[in-house]
Amino acid sequence: MRKLLTKICIALILTISIFSIFTFEIYRYTDSVVLARQSETYLDATNNIKYRDNDVVETIVVLEDDSLITRYDETKYESISDYISSSRGKKISDELLEKQNEVINNIKANNIEIDLSNSYNYTVVMNAVSVKTKVKNLDKIAEIDGVKDVIVSNYYEAFEVESENKELEDISYTDVFMDSDKAWDLGYTGEGMVIAVIDTGTDVNHEAFMGDIENPKYTKEELNELIGNLELSAKGVTSADVVYHSEKIPYAFDYAGNDSYAYSAGLDHGTHVAGIVGANSGKIRGVAVDAQIIVMKVFDDMGSAFETYILAGVEDSLKLGVDVANMSLGSPCGNSYATEQAAKVYSQVRDKGVNLVVAAGNDSYLGINNMAQNHLPMAKAPDYGVVASPSTYEYALSVASLDNNMYTTICLNFENKVYVEYAQTSNSFPIGTILDG
């Protein structure tokens, strides 16, 4: 029970201060989507061209049989991870992979050109395989025996913003700013937990992750044994030797590049997020200081990601038994609904005990800094809906950021009261202000 409360508490206080990551929607190719076939192009409801026949797209081919997460029986196994690594789970996974290979072979036998480079097989979050193909082949693939659905992957881009470099003294009090020190006082430090950071990658050698942690969930030997019983989406990973970096970061993999070097110089967003989640070195402290961090780099070195990479990370998160999956990415002005497959993935991941923590975005609210300087939207357009999806889905915990507006000043400590002198800032206190010390 305490572990469950710890997971909930840590998830609720993961206040992530993020750079903006935007997405643009790519259509989902099913009978229900509003698309009109015209000559060699696909048109949406407003006659905007989405794709031409010869455009190559990243595609998710969904098969008919149920995935492992759908078949999971909570009364027989302690966790979804235990089920996946069990003899029963591995048998079903092998059967699904065999049928996926049959479908791929049938696609090739029908002279449908596909590219399997950086392709992923999914057996846990969905029963599917990712392929690259031309738009004109989507109809043909949908007709292959055993295929349930064909989805064109969403495409995500990291939005570059200028960031202010703060001195260590400026960030050393952020634990107090986020009230994480209060959680620590109650015993919620992330001890025994594993948090997946699905992002742009992390500098595993950063000083922020060099501290000791209490009671880690996985030692290198334990992780090695677990990986040996799994078939990870991370290609070529058959032991902990290639992914293990430290007690703090026992696993790191690049799902966009298919290698174990999960960091790109200049793409520091993932390092920033991982630090907020669990930095534990000296004055650099995150929220869950005793949690282990699993680094899942899903953006390529140019700052772009397909949903196929993200799904591979989520899939391996379940296999590795994470408690929280943090996705600091999204599309502004998001929907409150998801496509059928996305809804199924997110809802089942949450229902099987993994907290999905997703960034609300950086878009503040409609009307801020408007010409009238009243920071309100127009009366005829009162929509405040700029929160990003997938954080807007009911299956995710949407987390917003706060600006760090603290400052230092000279003060007088007298009989447990702090007298703060006047400072010329927008957040200043009048002279003689008394704060509880």
Side-chain angles (χ1 to χ4, degrees), residues 79 135 191 266:
S79 67
V135 169
E191 181 180 341

Side-chain angles (χ1 to χ4, degrees), residues 149-206:
D149 208 351
V150 181
I151 305 170
V152 177
S153 173
N154 282 338
Y155 175 81
Y156 295 76
E157 284 188 346
F159 181 66
E160 296 182 4
V161 297
E162 294 183 4
S163 61
E164 179 183 355
N165 291 323
K166 290 183 174 290
E167 299 294 332
L168 183 58
E169 289 76 12
D170 294 328
I171 63 172
S172 61
Y173 47 68
T174 52
D175 50 353
V176 178
F177 186 73
M178 294 185 291
D179 282 340
S180 52
D181 58 326
K182 295 179 181 178
W184 300 339
D185 290 341
L186 294 172
Y188 299 116
T189 65
E191 181 180 341
M193 293 180 61
V194 176
I195 300 173
V197 177
I198 303 173
D199 214 287
T200 63
T202 298
D203 181 359
V204 298
N205 297 314
H206 195 285

Side-chain angles (χ1 to χ4, degrees), residues 57-293:
V57 290
E58 186 87 16
T59 307
I60 303 170
V61 180
V62 184
L63 277 64
E64 292 175 348
D65 294 329
D66 288 336
S67 63
L68 283 172
I69 198 170
T70 302
R71 307 182 193 210
Y72 169 55
D73 186 347
E74 297 178 3
T75 64
K76 295 183 179 179
Y77 300 91
E78 185 175 345
S79 67
I80 180 66
S81 178
D82 289 338
Y83 171 57
I84 294 168
S85 60
S86 70
S87 57
R88 173 66 176 167
K90 288 190 285 187
K91 181 177 183 294
I92 295 174
S93 179
D94 289 341
E95 292 172 352
L96 294 178
L97 289 172
E98 184 178 351
K99 291 184 178 181
Q100 289 176 16
N101 289 332
E102 289 177 5
V103 168
I104 292 299
N105 290 333
N106 286 339
I107 291 174
K108 293 178 178 178
N110 281 272
N111 296 318
I112 303 172
E113 185 178 352
I114 57 174
D115 180 1
L116 295 175
S117 62
N118 209 17
S119 172
Y120 284 104
N121 295 82
Y122 312 98
T123 60
V124 179
V125 295
M126 60 172 58
N127 176 20
V129 57
S130 66
V131 303
K132 295 183 182 71
T133 191
K134 292 181 179 180
V135 169
K136 66 181 180 182
N137 294 328
L138 299 180
D139 284 317
K140 301 174 185 177
I141 294 175
E143 295 300 320
I144 297 294
D145 186 42
V147 173
K148 178 182 180 180
D149 208 351
V150 181
I151 305 170
V152 177
S153 173
N154 282 338
Y155 175 81
Y156 295 76
E157 284 188 346
F159 181 66
E160 296 182 4
V161 297
E162 294 183 4
S163 61
E164 179 183 355
N165 291 323
K166 290 183 174 290
E167 299 294 332
L168 183 58
E169 289 76 12
D170 294 328
I171 63 172
S172 61
Y173 47 68
T174 52
D175 50 353
V176 178
F177 186 73
M178 294 185 291
D179 282 340
S180 52
D181 58 326
K182 295 179 181 178
W184 300 339
D185 290 341
L186 294 172
Y188 299 116
T189 65
E191 181 180 341
M193 293 180 61
V194 176
I195 300 173
V197 177
I198 303 173
D199 214 287
T200 63
T202 298
D203 181 359
V204 298
N205 297 314
H206 195 285
E207 62 176 308
F209 310 112
M210 295 302 173
D212 296 326
I213 63 176
E214 294 289 334
N215 189 28
K217 183 172 183 176
Y218 292 131
T219 63
K220 184 176 180 180
E221 292 72 26
E222 290 169 334
L223 183 65
N224 191 65
E225 182 179 356
L226 176 62
I227 291 176
N229 287 326
L230 297 170
E231 186 164 349
L232 293 174
S233 296
K235 293 179 174 61
V237 178
T238 57
S239 73
D241 291 337
V242 295
V243 294
Y244 188 92
H245 291 274
S246 66
E247 192 174 62
K248 185 65 180 180
I249 303 179
Y251 179 100
F253 191 81
D254 181 357
Y255 288 85
N258 258 323
D259 59 61
S260 57
Y261 188 71
Y263 174 64
S264 296
L267 292 177
D268 294 320
H269 180 266
T271 302
H272 172 70
V273 171
I276 293 174
V277 168
N280 69 331
S281 181
K283 290 186 176 181
I284 309 176
R285 299 183 298 271
V287 175
V289 291
D290 285 325
Q292 290 179 294
I293 296 174

